Amino acid sequence: MIKTGEQHIASLRDGRTIVIDGNKIDDPTGHPAFTRLVHSVGGLYDFVAAPENRELMTYATADGERVNRIWELPRSREDLVGRRRALEAWGSLHAGFLGRAPDHVASCIAGMYMGLDAFEAYDPARAKALADYYAYARDRDLYLTYVIINPQADRSKPASQQKDAFLTAAVVDQDAAGITVRGAKMLATGGVVANEVFVTCIQPLQPGDEPYALSFAVPMNAKGLTLLSRKSYEAASPSVFDNPLGSRFDENDAVLYFDDVKVPWERIFIFKNLEMCQKQFHATPAHVYQNYQAMVRLSVKVRFLLGIARRISEVNGVLAFPQVRETLGQLAAEAGMIDAMVAAMEAKGTNYNGYFVPDRHTLYAAQTLTQQLYPKIINTLRDLAGGGMIMLPSSVKDFANPEVAALIDATQQSPVASATERVKFFRLAWDAVGSEFASRHQQYEMFYAGATFVTKGHSFRTYDWAAAGALVDGMLGGYELADEVKHQQAAA
């Protein structure tokens, strides 16, 4: 189906349990902490449903049904590029600030489905559960989030050796119908506006951790499931003018607590298998496909930040300064590198089980570099703006006072913008660079793919060291010590 925004918003009124500011709520659609986010997500689905976007944003399944392209399983490079263009169009609606928009976990589940053979080798029943769930989520165009890491406690010990055996979500019981799960997982980014959650563990598990080695999906309103929301930046941003990003695109993050949640076998993809928890990501295209989506999103976000950078220079009348053009040229080169690496992932892609998947090492190289690059870009925007993002009126209420508005008009000047336009722009710039919302995004971009040693490890693991070594061996094989000795003796 092609879901509309209205249909998605209605689906969130399902009685889920969200805890925020000491209170339990069961409907995020009208709550001041989430309502603008809800409508921003609704806008994504309306964009897909618009007739003029049908070819860009949807594709036909084997039975001829049109569905959202986020679920597409590309058979060729052309398919992959077409899907990327759809992801870019979606990302442009939020300028890349919805890191866990519906296309992310859909990419993960689709990648797992492409590697269905790994699941069949493990357990045909679990493979069938995964295949059925992929079709179920695709055909209903579900918004999925995921929780794939364990709560931070004593990180020197595995899950099974923590003080509380059920700190991390684990199996409590099982029967013919399914399993019972108790404990916590993190970090359900976007969970308050998602339909379902994919629960598993991407961190390596140790012998003894078998009760935690699970992979399953449940609805957000599952009995016993509670979303423990962090502070809402939207709630702290009553004016869109003052916080144009945080007020509309705070996707929120939440710890999930499973209080003896029942999970049926048909929703369970891995059960108590340490090795398979890793294989579901790395022996299938899942990890590459989901993070390829993340790099497409980041390329849109960096493009937006470069637009902010140039506009700062124009508003401040410094675009013609050689040192400013040099700074913008450096930013442009870095943005171009990200775009080029996304294109290279596609150009160097390979076939896997009849599907066309992005190149692994190019992906991990891009993740390694962009973890370092994002804070550098943010700091460069700070350098360009100087005090411009700080010397702003206290809030939009200042404009409602004619006397204060006159002072704003007198003090907020620009060669290319009115006082109102200048304030509006720098409010946007600050929300992208310096607000609490922006600070969360810097942390997110630096760690969503794991700590830097994780991404560097992936890069090390997937690089073609044999080809590099062969070049060295070829050069070393081009000369011999004995020949050089003879040559020197003859010359003497």
Side-chain angles (χ1 to χ4, degrees):
M1 66 175 286
I2 304 299
K3 184 165 62 174
T4 66
E6 183 179 358
Q7 288 171 324
H8 181 70
I9 292 170
S11 74
L12 301 179
R13 302 186 184 103
D14 57 5
R16 64 189 60 200
T17 301
I18 303 171
V19 177
I20 185 167
D21 296 327
N23 298 306
K24 286 186 177 182
I25 66 169
D26 61 7
D27 181 1
T29 64
H31 193 278
F34 311 118
T35 184
R36 288 199 189 101
L37 170 64
V38 167
H39 287 280
S40 293
V41 172
L44 296 180
Y45 285 105
D46 281 337
F47 184 82
V48 176
E52 65 270 22
N53 296 326
R54 174 186 171 93
E55 289 302 317
L56 173 65
M57 299 302 301
T58 71
Y59 74 104
T61 62
D63 60 6
E65 185 75 17
R66 302 292 301 190
V67 296
N68 194 329
R69 202 176 284 275
I70 65 176
W71 301 100
E72 188 172 14
L73 309 172
R75 296 284 185 177
S76 66
R77 177 178 173 274
E78 289 70 28
D79 289 346
L80 186 63
V81 170
R83 183 176 183 271
R84 186 246 298 161
R85 289 173 179 152
L87 301 186
E88 287 177 326
W90 240 21
S92 69
L93 300 180
H94 52 81
F97 281 91
L98 292 180
R100 289 290 181 268
D103 43 344
H104 184 74
V105 182
S107 298
C108 176
I109 299 297
M112 289 168 62
Y113 181 86
M114 291 183 217
L116 200 61
D117 56 330
F119 283 85
E120 289 170 342
Y122 154 63
D123 184 338
R126 300 305 103 228
K128 183 178 186 306
L130 173 61
D132 290 347
Y133 185 75
Y134 164 77
Y136 175 87
R138 178 200 64 194
D139 294 345
R140 289 159 181 79
D141 202 7
L142 297 182
Y143 183 167
L144 306 181
T145 185
Y146 59 26
V147 283
I148 59 176
I149 57 176
N150 299 334
Q152 292 183 353
D154 185 346
R155 301 190 72 179
S156 69
K157 297 178 180 178
S160 59
Q161 295 178 23
Q162 296 295 323
K163 184 177 179 181
D164 180 356
F166 293 105
L167 167 67
T168 296
V171 177
V172 177
D173 194 15
Q174 68 183 85
D175 56 28
I179 64 174
T180 302
V181 176
R182 182 187 304 162
K185 293 289 288 189
M186 56 187 282
L187 193 58
T189 301
V192 294
V193 287
N195 298 119
E196 301 206 358
V197 58
F198 171 47
V199 184
T200 190
C201 192
I202 197 170
Q203 297 161 302
L205 297 170
Q206 306 299 322
D209 287 344
E210 285 78 9
Y212 311 93
L214 307 171
S215 181
F216 62 88
V218 292
M220 297 307 299
N221 68 344
K223 184 179 178 181
L225 179 58
T226 299
L227 290 82
L228 300 166
S229 172
R230 64 152 164 80
K231 171 185 177 179
S232 168
Y233 305 138
E234 178 178 331
S237 307
S239 165
V240 175
F241 186 90
D242 288 334
N243 294 94
L245 300 174
S247 64
R248 296 180 293 166
F249 304 119
D250 178 21
E251 59 191 339
N252 209 271
D253 308 284
V255 172
L256 297 192
Y257 187 75
F258 296 79
D259 186 5
D260 289 1
V261 173
K262 293 287 292 186
V263 185
W265 287 112
E266 58 268 24
R267 289 298 196 96
I268 299 169
F269 318 132
I270 299 171
F271 180 64
K272 290 186 175 182
N273 191 293
L274 306 178
E275 182 183 13
M276 194 60 200
C277 275
Q278 288 294 294
K279 281 188 172 182
Q280 68 181 328
F281 291 107
H282 299 295
T284 76
H287 197 251
V288 170
Y289 206 47
Q290 73 186 49
N291 285 298
Y292 163 76
Q293 178 277 333
M295 289 307 305
V296 172
R297 174 199 58 80
L298 183 60
S299 71
V300 174
K301 191 176 187 180
V302 170
R303 209 170 300 151
F304 170 80
L305 292 174
L306 260 68
I308 293 286
R310 183 182 174 105
R311 189 69 56 86
I312 289 171
S313 305
E314 293 169 343
V315 169
N316 284 344
V318 297
L319 184 59
F321 290 13
Q323 62 269 38
V324 171
R325 287 179 173 262
E326 179 183 2
T327 297
L328 293 176
Q330 178 67 33
L331 286 173
E334 291 163 349
M337 180 193 72
I338 296 172
D339 289 344
M341 294 188 86
V342 170
M345 294 173 209
E346 298 162 352
K348 294 176 65 179
T350 55
N351 285 295
Y352 182 93
N353 287 347
Y355 304 109
F356 191 84
V357 298
D359 180 66
R360 286 178 179 267
H361 182 258
T362 309
L363 166 67
Y364 294 134
Q367 285 192 314
T368 298
L369 296 174
T370 54
Q371 279 182 316
Q372 303 162 39
L373 194 58
Y374 190 83
K376 179 178 180 291
I377 291 172
I378 294 298
N379 282 335
T380 302
L381 265 63
R382 287 177 177 272
D383 285 341
L384 285 169
M389 292 189 289
I390 299 174
M391 55 169 287
L392 297 170
S394 59
S395 78
V396 69
K397 294 178 182 178
D398 288 335
F399 288 92
N401 183 321
E403 184 178 350
V404 177
L407 289 173
I408 293 172
D409 194 58
T411 57
Q412 298 284 340
Q413 297 189 14
S414 164
V416 298
S418 68
T420 299
E421 291 168 341
R422 186 184 193 283
V423 173
K424 183 179 182 181
F425 166 69
F426 272 113
R427 282 291 189 195
L428 174 64
W430 179 249
D431 215 16
V433 172
S435 67
E436 190 172 10
F437 172 83
S439 180
R440 179 264 179 195
H441 271 269
Q442 180 161 329
Q443 194 77 359
Y444 178 86
E445 299 297 357
M446 291 172 66
F447 291 102
Y448 80 83
T452 56
F453 72 85
V454 173
T455 53
K456 290 173 183 176
H458 291 323
S459 179
F460 173 83
R461 175 175 55 85
T462 56
Y463 186 69
D464 190 352
W465 294 106
L471 288 172
V472 175
D473 290 339
M475 187 60 68
L476 289 171
Y479 57 92
E480 295 291 341
L481 175 61
D483 294 336
E484 288 298 304
V485 170
K486 289 180 182 179
H487 177 73
Q488 293 298 325
Q489 289 174 339

